[in-house]
Amino acid sequence: MKTQHKHALLFSIISCAYFGVTEASNGDATKWMEAYGTPHDMAFSGIVTFAHLPSAPCLISQTPFDIGIIGFPFDTAVSYRPGARFGPKGIRDGSRRLRASNGWSLHWGMNPYDGLISIVDCGDVPITPYDNALALQEMEVAYETMINRPTVPGHGLSFPRGIDGKPHPFVLTLGGDHTIVYPILRSLFKRHGPITVLHFDSHIDTWSPDKIPTSTSLISQITHGTMFWKASTEGLIANNSIHAGIRSKFAGPWDLDHDTAVGFEMVTADEIDDVGVEGIVQRIHHRVGNDPLYLSIDIDVIDPAFAPGTGTPEPGGWTTREMKRLLRGLQGLNIVGGDIVEVSPAYDTADITGIAAADLVHEILSLFIVGNKESRLKSRIPGERPHIEL
């Protein structure tokens, strides 16, 4: 026997003895299970879903779920840098270190991925990049399909109930550019009537398309900067909506007058220096009350130092820590859906934007679960302002 063959055989014997692995017969399909048991993904391994959650074909399957995470990879209505079609992937990549074995947080005192609540990653909607009219239809149909899925009974959650009196699952959407909120609001309007919007962003996104020179067709008027204007023209938005984190430039004070007419109040980014997180949270609660609330987060509400991977960055934003504390203050509000949008991985550095966005998704999931426990809701007095813990 040649020397190299002897060495190879000796190494194989030593390896098997060291690791406790015995030689199996050819075709033995149970060798791994006998040696190591059921494999578990590492943070950096496995097929990527959000926080290693189970995946499901939610658009075609009738399987019930409590919370569904869906990607809307759409970015063909942006005014500056494209790339948010890769946002769902970037956010899922940023969530790799979140999982059932590592999801318990100090603030919430719970783990949303422990299996007590049915959360599934529904993948992405195959949205056309060639026809915005068709893309908007696809997103609306997809969202309506999702919110009409049955929930899982017996999990101790009180789900958003629509005007039909039936519970609907909570859907969290990963964008995509901010235009995606328009078809979402159209879907939610059919279930809840006019929706109050809590909009975290550096831009108001209520601009009229007559400010955009190239908006000569009806479909070209629906962009990531006009979608709230469009929604208001259809009566989709309640007049007690509110922006938070605004700091962009404007054409003039008339932009603010138009914003008020659309139905929004504004909290600027600078106000956090004057009233702090608690002051902003109190103002949000006072504004929206207990009406059906949609939570929309543009990642550019966070300063580019912490989230550079976005299409229209604005300096002077909030820190990731401040944004997390603001979300924690929303407990008690009647949140019926949410999104996080405008993550563009091509402009990111070391995945910090995707990681920040994933952590905000974790906060929203925890907020919804803790805030919708039936025991808490049953003890709440109608119309009473909840105690806000930051």
Side-chain angles (χ1 to χ4, degrees), residues 139-206:
M139 288 185 277
E140 183 176 345
V141 170
Y143 199 88
E144 192 163 351
T145 300
M146 292 275 290
I147 62 175
N148 279 289
R149 289 284 181 252
T151 57
V152 181
H155 281 181
L157 287 183
S158 181
F159 291 92
R161 291 182 179 269
I163 54 181
D164 58 4
K166 298 178 181 179
H168 297 276
F170 182 80
V171 176
L172 183 56
T173 310
L174 312 179
D177 77 53
H178 220 152
T179 313
I180 71 168
V181 77
Y182 169 63
I184 290 174
L185 289 174
R186 284 176 59 90
S187 299
L188 287 173
F189 177 82
K190 300 170 188 176
R191 295 292 165 265
H192 300 280
I195 303 295
T196 300
V197 176
L198 170 53
H199 174 219
F200 288 99
D201 202 324
S202 62
H203 313 91
I204 56 175
D205 295 345
T206 58

Side-chain angles (χ1 to χ4, degrees), residues 3 16 21 29 37 62 70 75 97 113 118 160 165 176 201 206 208 218 233 239 299 334 336 340 346 352 366 376 380:
T3 303
C16 290
V21 181
Q62 293 293 326
I70 187 79
D75 68 355
R97 293 180 62 242
Y113 320 114
S118 175
D201 202 324
T206 58
S208 172
L218 292 178
T233 66
N239 63 1
I299 196 65
N334 183 22
V336 299
I340 185 159
I352 61 173
S366 302
R376 185 195 66 82
R380 181 177 170 190

